[in-house]
Amino acid sequence: MKCDGNQMSRRTMLTVGAVGGLGLTLSDFFRMKSAQADQKHYDFVQAKAQSIIHIYLPGGMAHQESFDPKPYAPIEYRGELNPIKTNTGEQFCETLPQLSQLADKIAVIRSMTHGEAAHERGTHNMFTGYRPSPALNYPSMGSVVSHEYGPRNNLPPYVCIPSVPNEFASNGYLSSSFAPFSLGADPASAGFKVQDLSLPEKVTEERFTRRRSALDAVNDYFTKRDKSDNIGAMNTFYERAYSLISSKQAREAFNIEAESAAVRDEYGRNTAGQRLLMARRLVGAGARFVTLTYGGWDMHAQITRGMKNALPSLDQGLSALIKDLDRSGQLSSTLIMVSSEFGRTPKINKDAGRDHWPKVFSVMLAGGGIKGGTIYGTSNATASEPETDAVGPEDLATTIYHQLGIVADKELMSPGDRPIEIVDGGKVIKGLLA
């Protein structure tokens, strides 16, 4: 793949103008920032997972008050909340009663670790599998999956709910055609509607088709006169845009109102529940990688109250998602990942909260060939560092790619034709695999 920056040719400008004539903005997803060529798509071969739902909890969720309680530590370390037994005999925090009864279907990494205590740098690690570099912007896992496999069933391969959560969730050095599609609105909100998905008023399907034919004629004229890589890339890019807008089946995937009242109630009529339900609809319809965010977990003060407020909705919605996918037979091919940029300090601070702590924290996985009922790795008695089987972001990313059938040390071409491995130095965590 070659990138030549953000230069806009005369042909590109006319194309944008023609789309603007339709009243379509499509600015967040259907816009090329850089040229892209030699794009390759591969079918899923011997992959355990065909889709990923990445639930990202921004701010740094406390492992002690969720998946890794320490009931025998002193009170200033264990906190005020109590552990409960899971259906496998392990212990989760009392904040996760429903997930504790699905422990046989999930895996928890209790030995996740890296060295970045700043939100931005920790986030970069978890989205890309790389430490931040001043010399290169690395692509997110979602963008790599988009690059390797492309769209399915006319749906964007990589979708963010409700919006792109941070700069590291995007395409990095890859072409912006591999950036995520953003819903631009919260599925839990009244009158939810995806931005740029419907034709504007007064633009009929017939008029839309007629305008596209005119645009194709303009594009063909310039394509015959300009053989540069960015022409083919732009054509591919707009073909994806038209496919989404013109496909009723693809548009219907975003219609959360099509779900029964009982299903929406099962997930929870709240932010977490409806975002998780939307994610299930999208992967079921063909999206390959869906990232959704929920909550704010940077709890430097009053962590007991904060976790009691934030976790019930997640516990309900995530449990509903696992059960829903299991009932439909899709859990085996859909990998669910719950992550955060780091954990929280072992000791409660003076404000009854916990501060940033990247030395050890927890990640939850389910489905997609992951072995249920697994606790991988351990933290020590005060949850301050890994005691066994430390896992780095590069190991987690390598394992995720492995389940998708992507070779993590495959080289992609960055600007300047420099080969860069998708992940550098990671290993597949075999103890997590079914």
Side-chain angles (χ1 to χ4, degrees):
M1 185 197 73
K2 294 183 179 179
C3 295
D4 64 0
N6 298 326
Q7 296 179 2
M8 297 275 288
S9 66
R10 177 170 175 261
R11 181 260 180 199
T12 301
M13 294 298 290
L14 285 174
T15 302
V16 173
V19 174
L22 293 174
L24 307 175
T25 61
L26 301 175
S27 58
D28 290 336
F29 179 67
F30 304 128
R31 178 171 57 88
M32 288 287 284
K33 294 180 182 177
S34 58
Q36 172 268 327
D38 194 27
Q39 178 184 349
K40 297 180 180 179
H41 301 307
Y42 305 88
D43 292 330
F44 284 98
V45 179
Q46 297 185 3
K48 297 293 185 182
Q50 295 191 21
S51 303
I52 299 281
I53 297 175
H54 178 200
I55 299 134
Y56 184 66
L57 309 176
M61 185 180 73
H63 46 297
Q64 303 92 329
E65 278 80 17
S66 57
F67 292 108
D68 192 11
K70 297 296 179 182
Y72 304 114
I75 183 67
E76 63 269 25
Y77 287 88
R78 71 174 183 262
E80 299 175 323
L81 298 174
N82 297 313
I84 54 174
K85 270 199 171 183
T86 71
N87 65 354
T88 61
E90 295 288 342
Q91 291 185 333
F92 289 172
C93 185
E94 64 178 274
T95 51
L96 299 172
Q98 295 188 53
L99 281 174
S100 72
Q101 297 309 302
L102 294 172
D104 59 316
K105 299 187 183 303
I106 69 179
V108 174
I109 302 171
R110 285 179 170 169
S111 54
M112 197 75 210
T113 183
H114 61 70
E116 305 290 351
H119 289 293
E120 295 80 6
R121 296 179 68 84
T123 300
H124 184 284
N125 283 358
M126 299 304 291
F127 271 84
T128 70
Y130 272 92
R131 292 183 64 184
S133 167
L136 193 63
N137 293 323
Y138 292 99
S140 66
M141 285 186 275
S143 289
V144 170
V145 171
S146 177
H147 177 274
E148 292 299 290
Y149 289 115
R152 179 170 53 192
N153 298 342
N154 294 321
L155 279 168
Y158 177 26
V159 182
C160 285
I161 303 172
S163 58
V164 183
N166 56 72
E167 60 185 302
F168 312 118
S170 199
N171 52 293
Y173 61 73
L174 295 176
S175 162
S176 62
S177 59
F178 305 116
F181 176 78
S182 173
L183 267 61
D186 191 338
S189 61
F192 165 72
K193 186 178 181 181
V194 178
Q195 63 180 9
D196 299 332
L197 194 59
S198 303
L199 293 174
E201 291 184 31
K202 300 181 181 179
V203 177
T204 64
E205 295 282 352
E206 181 182 1
R207 184 182 177 191
F208 177 77
T209 302
R210 197 166 58 243
R211 289 290 187 110
R212 179 178 179 180
S213 298
L215 175 59
D216 286 343
V218 174
N219 289 348
D220 183 63
Y221 175 85
F222 284 100
T223 299
K224 290 177 180 178
R225 285 156 178 77
D226 189 343
K227 301 299 183 182
S228 62
D229 289 343
N230 60 339
I231 294 295
M234 186 68 82
N235 283 341
T236 299
F237 185 81
Y238 278 104
E239 281 298 324
R240 293 185 187 181
Y242 281 121
S243 294
L244 176 59
I245 295 170
S246 60
S247 169
K248 292 182 179 179
Q249 180 182 2
R251 294 200 307 266
E252 183 62 17
F254 296 90
N255 180 18
I256 200 167
E257 297 291 340
E259 296 289 341
S260 69
V263 169
R264 297 191 73 177
D265 290 342
E266 181 184 8
Y267 277 79
R269 301 272 187 159
N270 51 56
T271 300
Q274 298 306 291
R275 290 180 185 183
L276 287 159
L277 178 55
M278 176 61 74
R280 192 269 287 157
R281 286 187 63 82
L282 290 173
V283 297
R288 298 190 188 274
F289 200 108
V290 176
T291 290
L292 69 91
T293 54
Y294 165 67
W297 305 86
D298 196 20
M299 299 179 185
H300 292 276
Q302 301 300 322
I303 196 166
T304 298
R305 182 177 64 193
M307 296 296 274
K308 282 185 172 181
N309 288 338
L311 272 173
S313 294
L314 180 64
D315 183 49
Q316 177 184 356
L318 185 52
S319 298
L321 175 65
I322 294 169
K323 290 186 286 187
D324 198 0
L325 290 171
D326 195 33
R327 283 194 301 264
S328 66
Q330 296 178 74
L331 185 61
S332 61
S333 61
T334 305
L335 200 161
I336 301 167
M337 175 171 63
V338 181
S339 74
S340 200
E341 62 259 47
F342 41 57
R344 312 303 294 185
T345 48
K347 195 172 183 179
I348 300 287
N349 64 25
K350 62 181 178 59
D351 297 315
R354 298 184 190 268
D355 302 315
H356 302 176
W357 194 257
K359 289 185 179 181
V360 70
F361 56 107
S362 297
V363 167
M364 194 214 87
L365 302 170
I370 295 298
K371 183 166 60 178
T374 301
I375 300 294
Y376 186 87
T378 58
S379 62
N380 63 8
T382 56
S384 58
E385 61 184 14
E387 190 164 81
T388 63
D389 298 318
V391 175
E394 67 280 3
D395 303 319
L396 178 63
T398 296
T399 304
I400 296 300
Y401 287 131
H402 176 270
Q403 295 305 95
L404 284 166
I406 295 173
V407 178
D409 60 1
K410 174 184 176 180
E411 292 180 340
L412 305 180
M413 299 304 292
S414 69
D417 291 338
R418 177 187 172 194
I420 304 292
E421 292 181 341
I422 293 175
V423 183
D424 184 14
K427 65 179 183 296
V428 176
I429 310 169
K430 294 183 179 179
L432 287 172
L433 308 185

